[in-house]
Coordinates of all heavy atoms in Angstrom, one line a residue:
D40 N -17.8 -9.3 -102.5 CA -19.1 -9.1 -102.1 C -19.6 -9.9 -100.9 O -20.7 -9.7 -100.3 CB -20.2 -9.3 -103.3 CG -20.1 -8.2 -104.4 OD1 -19.7 -7.1 -104.0 OD2 -20.4 -8.5 -105.5
L43 N -20.6 -8.1 -98.0 CA -21.9 -7.3 -98.2 C -23.1 -8.1 -98.1 O -24.2 -7.7 -98.3 CB -21.8 -6.6 -99.6 CG -20.6 -5.7 -99.7 CD1 -20.6 -5.1 -101.1 CD2 -20.6 -4.5 -98.6
L44 N -23.0 -9.4 -97.7 CA -24.1 -10.3 -97.6 C -24.7 -10.2 -96.1 O -23.9 -9.9 -95.2 CB -23.7 -11.8 -97.9 CG -23.3 -12.1 -99.3 CD1 -22.9 -13.6 -99.3 CD2 -24.3 -11.8 -100.3
F108 N -28.9 -13.7 -116.2 CA -29.9 -14.6 -115.3 C -31.0 -15.2 -116.2 O -32.1 -15.3 -115.7 CB -30.4 -13.8 -114.2 CG -29.3 -13.5 -113.2 CD1 -28.6 -12.3 -113.3 CD2 -29.0 -14.4 -112.1 CE1 -27.5 -12.0 -112.4 CE2 -28.0 -14.1 -111.2 CZ -27.3 -12.9 -111.3
F119 N -29.8 -14.7 -104.8 CA -29.7 -13.8 -103.8 C -28.9 -12.6 -104.1 O -28.3 -12.6 -105.2 CB -29.1 -14.5 -102.5 CG -27.7 -15.0 -102.7 CD1 -26.6 -14.1 -102.3 CD2 -27.4 -16.1 -103.3 CE1 -25.3 -14.5 -102.6 CE2 -26.0 -16.6 -103.6 CZ -25.0 -15.7 -103.2
S120 N -29.0 -11.5 -103.3 CA -28.3 -10.3 -103.6 C -27.5 -9.8 -102.4 O -27.8 -10.0 -101.3 CB -29.3 -9.2 -104.0 OG -29.9 -9.5 -105.2
A121 N -26.3 -9.2 -102.7 CA -25.6 -8.5 -101.7 C -26.2 -7.1 -101.5 O -27.0 -6.6 -102.3 CB -24.1 -8.3 -102.2
S122 N -25.8 -6.4 -100.4 CA -26.3 -5.1 -100.1 C -26.0 -4.0 -101.2 O -26.7 -3.0 -101.2 CB -25.9 -4.6 -98.7 OG -24.4 -4.5 -98.7
N123 N -25.0 -4.3 -102.0 CA -24.7 -3.3 -103.1 C -25.6 -3.6 -104.4 O -25.4 -3.0 -105.4 CB -23.2 -3.4 -103.4 CG -22.8 -4.7 -103.9 OD1 -23.6 -5.7 -104.1 ND2 -21.5 -4.9 -104.2
G124 N -26.5 -4.6 -104.3 CA -27.4 -4.9 -105.4 C -26.8 -6.0 -106.3 O -27.6 -6.4 -107.2
H125 N -25.6 -6.4 -106.2 CA -25.0 -7.5 -107.0 C -25.9 -8.8 -106.7 O -26.0 -9.1 -105.6 CB -23.6 -7.7 -106.8 CG -22.7 -6.6 -107.3 ND1 -21.4 -6.5 -107.0 CD2 -23.0 -5.5 -108.0 CE1 -20.9 -5.4 -107.5 NE2 -21.9 -4.8 -108.2
K126 N -26.2 -9.5 -107.8 CA -27.1 -10.6 -107.7 C -26.3 -11.9 -108.0 O -25.4 -11.8 -108.9 CB -28.2 -10.5 -108.6 CG -29.3 -11.5 -108.5 CD -30.6 -11.1 -109.1 CE -30.8 -11.6 -110.6 NZ -32.1 -11.3 -111.1
F127 N -26.5 -13.0 -107.4 CA -25.8 -14.2 -107.5 C -26.8 -15.4 -107.5 O -27.8 -15.3 -106.9 CB -24.8 -14.4 -106.4 CG -23.8 -13.3 -106.2 CD1 -24.1 -12.3 -105.4 CD2 -22.6 -13.3 -106.9 CE1 -23.2 -11.3 -105.2 CE2 -21.7 -12.3 -106.7 CZ -22.0 -11.3 -105.9

Side-chain angles (χ1 to χ4, degrees):
D40 288 331
L43 302 173
L44 298 178
F108 291 89
F119 62 94
S120 295
S122 62
N123 61 0
H125 291 169
K126 188 162 95 170
F127 303 91

